[in-house]
Amino acid sequence: MSSGPAAAGGSIVPTETDWNDAWYLVCMKVSTIGFVVVDARERVAALDALRNTGVADLSRHLDANPAVADRLRRGMIILDVNEAAVRMFGAAGRADMIGQRTQRFFDPSCTAQINSARAFAGGATSFQQQARSVRIDGSRFDTLFCVVPKADGTTSGFWLASFVDITEHVQRQTSLDALRDELAHVSRISTLGELSASIAHEIGQPLSSIGMTASAMLRRLDGEDIDRDTLRRQCQRIVDQVARAGDIIDRTRRMAAKRGGTHSPVAIADVLAESVQFVQHELSRNAIGLQVVGSGADLIIRADRIQLQQVFVNLLMNAIQIHRQAGTPEPMIRVEIVREDGAIRIDVADNGPGIDPDHVGQLFDGFFTTRADGLGLGLSICRTILAAHGGSIAVPSRSGQPGATFSVQLPL
């Protein structure tokens, strides 16, 4: 290691070369993180060639040309590795990895390599992503993959990649996700139990209509003059009511099903409308008014439809139960849909007695409840579901106003 000029007091001031040497020593000889020095000049040249041929949108070009993407994945050769990388990838020694193309150590489904190419082509100076890595023996494990220009801050094509084994973390997160889904399922079953009378009433209405329509048809068939048009309309009415009953049963079955979360584009207005259908009989039975402000028809989010229904059904049922217990005069629930920058806010407000200030800090804690027959899971599950969607739930202050408001925010 070279030395720079002496500083005041006779100490030695390290030069840039000293720092680079020390940096390399720590990474390659001391660190417990797996470090890999990569020759990416082949990839850099391929990216330059794409730019020279007029490719402006690299991501779109790679999506349309898988062969080009594959060449970029292969365009990186391992020059050096540290002992931590040797152990992590199950190699007998450094020679097992040096000279290999980095593609060998990534699962074919992993997007980390091609995403790093997109990032650096776009001007990024560093990149990191969770990756699915492959050991020498072919076994898979999860890593946090990071890559930066090696030492001098240039993008000449010599890069330093690092790997942190996060397999245990991913397994713990998977277990937590499974536990969250299990608790959400328990909460849904509990909610459906509370709504059993409403569901029975909902199904009873189309069944009653079917029975009355069929009886009317039989009477007409017993008569001398058969009006085919009238019979046709009555048959159609039966078909419509059967479809209505089927929709109620399907909706209830989906809510009760034990299933993993599946995110897809959904219109928030549709989710809210379906949630209101679940509680409509409870609203009518308790003479509670419902006001929905803002259509939200064009507001699309990526979410699990059933889990979001669970959130809004829970909030609506909480408001209904508060009104029922408090005997609120002229009870009302107001649902307001508000578009914000890059997000959507849904406020569920009631004009009941409000929330005890002593309980505000505990509302979203698991198993906290003020109801003798409550599980204390509802609001906690709501918060967990929304967090998994990149959203949140809060209880904003309503100074001078009656009742309580639960404010849900979700990214568009």
Side-chain angles (χ1 to χ4, degrees), residues 115-128 147-149 154-155 159:
N115 286 343
S116 68
R118 288 186 172 104
F120 285 116
T125 57
S126 64
F127 173 83
Q128 87 173 28
V147 60
V148 293
T154 69
T155 55
W159 296 348

Side-chain angles (χ1 to χ4, degrees), residues 63-375:
D63 291 339
N65 297 274
V68 176
D70 187 60
R71 281 202 302 274
L72 291 181
R73 287 191 188 94
R74 292 180 54 80
M76 301 180 71
I77 300 171
I78 295 175
L79 296 177
D80 198 4
V81 298
N82 67 350
E83 289 302 320
V86 170
R87 293 190 299 271
M88 188 179 298
F89 286 92
R94 294 167 61 235
D96 283 351
M97 299 181 68
I98 293 173
Q100 297 262 19
R101 292 188 180 271
T102 57
Q103 186 184 28
R104 160 70 178 79
F105 298 97
F106 287 92
D107 187 273
S109 65
C110 181
T111 61
Q113 280 195 293
I114 202 64
N115 286 343
S116 68
R118 288 186 172 104
F120 285 116
T125 57
S126 64
F127 173 83
Q128 87 173 28
Q129 179 184 320
Q130 182 175 324
R132 189 69 171 160
S133 297
V134 181
R135 298 186 181 92
I136 290 290
D137 63 6
S139 60
R140 268 61 171 167
F141 66 111
D142 295 294
T143 59
L144 179 63
F145 167 67
C146 309
V147 60
V148 293
K150 179 177 171 289
D152 57 5
T154 69
T155 55
S156 60
F158 293 98
W159 296 348
L160 179 74
S162 68
F163 295 84
V164 179
D165 190 338
I166 58 171
T167 304
E168 291 186 5
H169 169 78
V170 171
Q171 290 172 345
R172 284 195 299 270
Q173 188 60 52
T174 300
S175 297
L176 286 173
D177 290 344
L179 178 59
R180 181 199 68 207
D181 290 341
E182 185 70 28
L183 286 173
H185 180 242
V186 170
S187 181
R188 285 200 301 274
I189 296 300
S190 175
T191 301
L192 287 175
E194 295 175 9
L195 289 169
S196 58
S198 296
I199 294 168
H201 176 81
E202 268 200 278
I203 295 175
Q205 283 186 325
L207 292 178
S208 176
S209 177
I210 290 168
M212 290 188 294
T213 304
S215 296
M217 291 177 69
L218 287 172
R219 287 195 299 271
R220 289 184 181 278
L221 288 170
D222 288 337
E224 294 183 1
D225 296 326
I226 298 177
D227 184 344
R228 292 181 178 276
D229 289 338
T230 300
L231 288 176
R232 187 176 291 107
R233 285 195 299 272
Q234 289 176 325
C235 284
Q236 185 60 52
R237 189 176 301 134
I238 288 176
V239 171
D240 293 342
Q241 293 302 316
V242 168
R244 179 184 170 194
D247 287 342
I248 295 167
I249 293 169
D250 287 344
R251 191 169 71 238
T252 305
R253 184 186 293 117
R254 288 196 301 270
M255 183 69 84
K258 186 175 181 180
R259 51 191 286 280
T262 53
H263 290 211
S264 59
V266 296
I268 195 65
D270 292 344
V271 175
L272 283 170
E274 292 163 356
S275 303
V276 169
Q277 286 178 348
F278 267 110
V279 302
Q280 188 62 61
H281 178 61
E282 291 296 317
L283 292 168
S284 301
R285 189 169 63 138
N286 293 281
I288 298 172
L290 176 68
Q291 181 183 21
V292 179
V293 180
S295 70
D298 61 338
L299 299 179
I300 306 298
I301 60 177
R302 188 168 184 83
D304 183 288
R305 191 185 203 95
I306 302 303
Q307 289 188 351
L308 281 194
Q309 283 180 19
Q310 179 177 355
V311 169
F312 294 121
V313 167
N314 188 281
L315 295 178
L316 291 167
M317 281 299 295
N318 282 353
I320 290 169
Q321 288 159 355
I322 288 294
H323 282 315
R324 187 165 58 212
Q325 293 170 4
T328 309
E330 300 183 3
M332 174 65 70
I333 300 174
R334 175 186 169 93
V335 178
E336 184 174 8
I337 306 169
V338 181
R339 179 168 188 161
E340 298 179 334
D341 291 340
I344 179 172
R345 194 185 79 239
I346 304 99
D347 292 338
V348 180
D350 64 68
N351 61 339
I355 301 170
D356 186 332
D358 292 338
H359 295 159
V360 172
Q362 300 172 275
L363 285 176
F364 300 104
D365 292 346
F367 303 105
F368 173 78
T369 180
T370 58
R371 292 167 45 205
D373 60 345
L375 288 176

